[in-house]
């Protein structure tokens, strides 16, 4: 052990004197050439023997004739030898002693070696390290340092003390001698398992700045877009926000209007008819899975024999349709679509069980507004309604013992279903009384609803629809008499004279068998009053052929009753 050197390197982290850091040394051996004038040789050239040590980093070159540094003995292993250039004259002081300097965690303490250094606050000459060979394949800009996991970069020494003699510790007591451990900085953080990364150059900084700018722009764009979308959707911070109820995700009662509409709409269709001279829009509903659809006769009549009928379902699917059968006397028709799957037939109710005041829902396409739902009640029953008559011969006049409703019905609702609280069809919407068109079919005028709508009872429509599907024709019940339609009195009077060679009471017909005579006035049918010939026809049409009726009549000022079994005729 050597005596303690008060000017040696202090322990790790402690104050003490420091020597100036040596300049960067390359592993190639350097020899001084005669006549060296102190200029720093180029990399890879030999140093003159009389040149002496290199000046500190950033300091002035030594003058000519400066004594040269002693040559280091050849390195034979172990710690690399250190050579220290002689220092300028300094005041006498204690003899230097050995000192140890730590080299980071796990690094052995290295004792200083070489010529003793004169005491003093500063040393005028730098230390010169012995040449050391670089490992094969290593970067010449790095020198190996044992124990720290890899080479350390030979960066320029730290800021020089005043006078250009090398780095000075905070205490400023002297230079730090260096040996093979070039550029060692006891104040730097120890390396952990690898070489220290070189400081970023200007190009790296530009790349980092560019990447940061792009990232910042993307972040700003995303944030700005999100804020803009939020403001556009929900308004600004200071915008007025009105209270609103939460979303009602619950269902509806089946007997509510919404529940009825949800159940019935899939079975309702909109019908578009295009003929040679006219076109129109109406409604219908599905009867069965074979594609039969029931509607009004006046809806499909414009198609004639060469027209086109198109059916659009509530879901938007469209199909071509053909007429299966139609009847003007009942104002009913059946059309059929083919190749359509997923049909939803509507269930049929019983119109005889309907009571005045029962809630009803009408579904149709008023003014071509498909899937329109309106609601109301049954306002009356057995309303004798006649519609049509545009031909003048009475062949297109329909007689309906109708259900009256205040559910709004408008042009385009014709043929649509009138359903009860269980979404069962109880009638077919056929006619309205509008303020500007009078009584008649809703196709006869474009006036709006005033709460007077009329529907064919489903019990009558069911029989007719079955006959139209099965035979293509519908049968009409008859009593076998000719009525005087111009009679102004109360009741329906049998004509007193033949018309067109036709006798008032058909021989062998139902009326003749019941004992009816010309001039009889029929006032009641099954106890219900009859006030006109139209009303009598409506009452008869509401029954099936073969039904028996009790007729009350006036003959010669006397009232009497007869029983009559209805006959049948087929509409031509």
């Amino acid at each position: 052990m050597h005596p303690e050197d008060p000017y040696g390197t202090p322990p790790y982290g402690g104050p003490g004197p420091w020597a100036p850091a040596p300049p960067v040394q390359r592993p190639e051996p350097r020899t001084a050439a005669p006549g060296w004038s102190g200029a720093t040789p180029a990399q890879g050239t030999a140093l003159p023997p009389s040149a002496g040590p290199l000046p500190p980093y950033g300091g002035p070159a030594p003058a000519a004739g400066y004594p040269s540094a002693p040559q280091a003995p050849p390195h034979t292993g172990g710690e690399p030898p250190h050579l220290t250039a002689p220092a300028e004259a300094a005041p006498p002081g204690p003899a230097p002693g050995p000192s140890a300097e730590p080299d980071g965690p796990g690094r052995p303490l290295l004792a200083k070696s070489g010529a003793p250094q004169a005491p003093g606050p500063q040393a005028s000459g730098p230390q010169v390290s012995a040449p050391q060979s670089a490992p094969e394949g290593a970067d010449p800009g790095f020198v190996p340092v044992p124990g720290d996991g890899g080479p350390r970069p030979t960066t320029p020494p730290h800021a020089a003390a005043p006078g250009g003699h090398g780095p000075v510790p905070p205490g400023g007591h002297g230079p730090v001698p260096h040996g093979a451990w070039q550029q060692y900085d006891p104040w730097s953080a120890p390396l952990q398992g690898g070489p220290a990364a070189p400081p970023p150059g200007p190009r790296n900084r530009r790349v980092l700045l560019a990447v940061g700018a792009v990232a910042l722009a993307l972040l700003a764009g995303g944030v700005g877009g999100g804020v803009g979308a939020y403001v556009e959707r929900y308004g600004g911070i200071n915008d007025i926000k009105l209270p609103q109820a939460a979303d009602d995700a619950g269902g509806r009662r089946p007997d509510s209007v919404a529940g009825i509409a949800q159940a019935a709409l899939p079975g309702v269709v909109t019908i578009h008819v295009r003929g040679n001279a006219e076109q129109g829009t109406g409604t219908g509903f599905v009867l069965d899975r074979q594609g039969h659809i029931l509607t009004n006769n006046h809806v499909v009549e414009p198609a004639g024999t060469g027209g086109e009928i198109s059916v659009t379902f509530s879901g938007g699917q469209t199909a071509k349709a053909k007429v299966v059968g139609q009847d003007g006397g009942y104002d009913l028709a059946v059309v059929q679509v083919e190749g359509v799957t997923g049909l939803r037939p509507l269930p049929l109710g019983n119109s005889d069980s309907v009571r005045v005041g029962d809630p009803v829902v009408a579904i149709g396409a008023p003014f071509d507004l498909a899937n329109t739902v309106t609601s109301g009640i049954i306002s009356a029953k057995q309303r004798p309604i006649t519609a049509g008559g545009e031909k003048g011969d009475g062949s297109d006049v329909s007689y309906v013992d109708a259900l009256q409703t205040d559910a709004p019905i408008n042009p385009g609702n014709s043929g649509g279903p009138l359903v009860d609280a269980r979404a069962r069809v109880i009638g077919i919407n056929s006619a309205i009384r509008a303020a500007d068109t009078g009584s008649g079919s809703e196709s006869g005028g474009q006036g709006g609803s005033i709460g007077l709508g009329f529907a064919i009872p489903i019990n009558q429509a069911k029989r007719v629809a079955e006959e139209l599907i099965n035979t293509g024709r519908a049968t009409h019940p008859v009593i076998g008499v000719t009525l005087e339609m111009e009679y102004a009195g109360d009741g329906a009077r049998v004509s007193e004279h033949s018309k067109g060679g036709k006798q008032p009471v058909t021989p062998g017909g139902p009326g003749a068998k019941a004992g009816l005579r010309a001039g009889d006035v029929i006032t009641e049918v099954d106890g219900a009053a009859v006030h006109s010939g139209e009303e009598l026809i409506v009452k008869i049409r509401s029954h099936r052929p073969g039904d028996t009726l009790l007729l009350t009549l006036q003959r010669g000022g006397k009232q009497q009753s007869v029983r009559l079994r209805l006959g049948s005729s087929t509409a031509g």
Side-chain angles (χ1 to χ4, degrees):
M1 298 295 291
H2 297 280
E4 182 178 0
D5 183 1
Y7 299 100
T9 303
Y12 186 83
W18 293 77
V24 178
Q25 297 296 318
R26 300 298 178 182
E28 293 83 355
R30 303 172 186 262
T31 58
W36 179 65
S37 61
T40 303
Q43 180 176 348
T45 61
L47 296 174
S50 60
L54 293 174
Y57 186 85
Y66 193 89
S68 61
Q71 296 293 326
H75 179 57
T76 58
E79 298 295 340
H82 297 266
L83 294 181
T84 304
E88 294 180 355
S99 64
E101 59 179 281
D103 197 25
R107 177 169 294 176
L109 297 178
L110 303 179
K112 295 181 67 65
S113 61
Q117 183 169 338
Q122 294 180 356
S124 61
Q127 295 176 337
V128 180
S129 299
Q132 182 175 354
S133 299
E136 182 177 355
D139 188 345
F142 291 80
V143 294
V145 179
D148 65 357
R152 184 181 298 276
T154 58
T155 57
H158 297 285
H165 296 291
V168 177
H173 295 292
V176 178
H178 279 258
W181 304 92
Q182 298 187 26
Q183 302 301 334
Y184 169 70
D185 184 359
W187 299 97
S188 64
L191 297 177
Q192 299 292 333
R203 181 177 180 182
N204 292 338
R205 284 194 294 271
R206 287 196 298 270
V207 171
L208 291 176
L209 288 175
V211 172
V214 172
L216 182 60
L218 292 177
L219 178 61
V223 172
V227 172
Y230 180 88
V231 171
E232 181 180 359
R233 181 177 179 86
Y234 300 103
I237 298 176
N238 297 326
D239 290 354
I240 295 176
K241 300 294 190 300
L242 300 178
Q244 184 180 19
D247 182 24
D248 183 8
R252 298 292 185 269
R253 291 172 53 88
D255 58 349
S256 66
V257 175
I260 296 170
Q262 183 178 3
L265 273 171
V268 181
V269 301
T270 301
I271 300 175
H272 294 93
V273 179
R274 184 182 300 275
N276 295 330
E278 55 182 328
Q279 60 185 12
T281 300
T283 309
F285 63 93
V286 180
L287 291 173
D288 53 28
R289 297 189 182 279
Q290 285 71 41
H292 293 108
I293 295 172
L294 182 62
T295 185
N296 283 138
N297 177 67
H298 71 260
V299 171
V300 301
E301 194 171 26
T305 57
E308 182 180 279
I309 301 175
S310 175
V311 172
T312 303
F313 294 85
S314 62
Q317 184 180 8
T318 302
K320 300 297 182 182
K322 63 179 181 179
V323 176
V324 173
Q326 57 189 120
D327 186 274
Y330 287 111
D331 194 20
L332 292 172
V334 174
V335 299
Q336 185 178 17
V337 295
E338 296 180 354
V340 179
T341 59
L343 296 174
R344 296 278 299 274
L346 293 186
L348 305 182
N350 189 337
S351 54
D352 291 341
S353 300
V354 174
R355 299 291 181 265
V356 174
D358 284 349
V360 291
V361 172
I363 305 177
F367 298 100
D368 205 11
L369 300 174
N371 302 325
T372 297
V373 177
T374 57
S375 64
I377 62 171
I378 294 295
S379 304
K381 295 179 62 176
Q382 296 179 340
R383 292 292 194 195
I385 299 300
T386 59
E390 285 80 8
K391 293 182 178 180
D393 57 359
S395 61
D396 61 337
V397 177
S398 60
Y399 300 89
V400 180
D401 193 21
L403 298 173
Q404 180 182 326
T405 179
D406 65 348
I409 297 175
N410 292 283
N413 275 105
S414 285
L418 184 70
V419 300
D420 61 11
R422 299 176 63 179
R424 300 174 303 187
V425 181
I426 58 173
I428 292 88
N429 301 317
S430 300
I432 61 173
R433 179 175 292 275
D436 57 345
T437 61
S439 176
S441 167
E442 58 97 347
S443 66
Q446 293 296 310
S449 172
I450 60 173
L452 293 176
F454 303 96
I456 301 172
I458 192 61
N459 289 12
Q460 177 180 334
K462 176 179 178 295
R463 177 186 70 84
V464 175
E466 290 172 345
E467 291 182 348
L468 292 177
I469 292 172
N470 295 327
T471 66
R473 292 175 176 269
T475 59
H476 298 177
V478 295
I479 60 176
V481 298
T482 302
L483 297 177
E484 188 177 334
M485 304 302 292
E486 297 84 5
Y487 178 68
D490 189 41
R493 186 169 73 176
V494 177
S495 180
E496 294 179 343
H497 307 284
S498 299
K499 291 183 178 181
K502 189 176 181 180
Q503 297 183 11
V505 179
T506 303
K513 293 179 180 180
L516 292 179
R517 300 177 185 177
D520 288 346
V521 178
I522 302 173
T523 58
E524 295 181 1
V525 175
D526 287 339
V530 173
H531 304 287
S532 65
E534 287 84 358
E535 288 190 21
L536 177 62
I537 295 174
V538 167
K539 294 296 183 181
I540 293 173
R541 291 279 179 92
S542 65
H543 291 81
R544 293 174 178 267
D547 290 348
T548 300
L549 305 179
L550 179 61
L551 303 180
T552 301
L553 53 89
Q554 293 285 337
R555 180 185 296 169
K558 296 182 179 179
Q559 180 175 313
Q560 62 183 33
S561 297
V562 296
R563 288 192 173 273
L564 182 147
R565 184 178 181 181
L566 295 174
S568 175
S569 69
T570 302

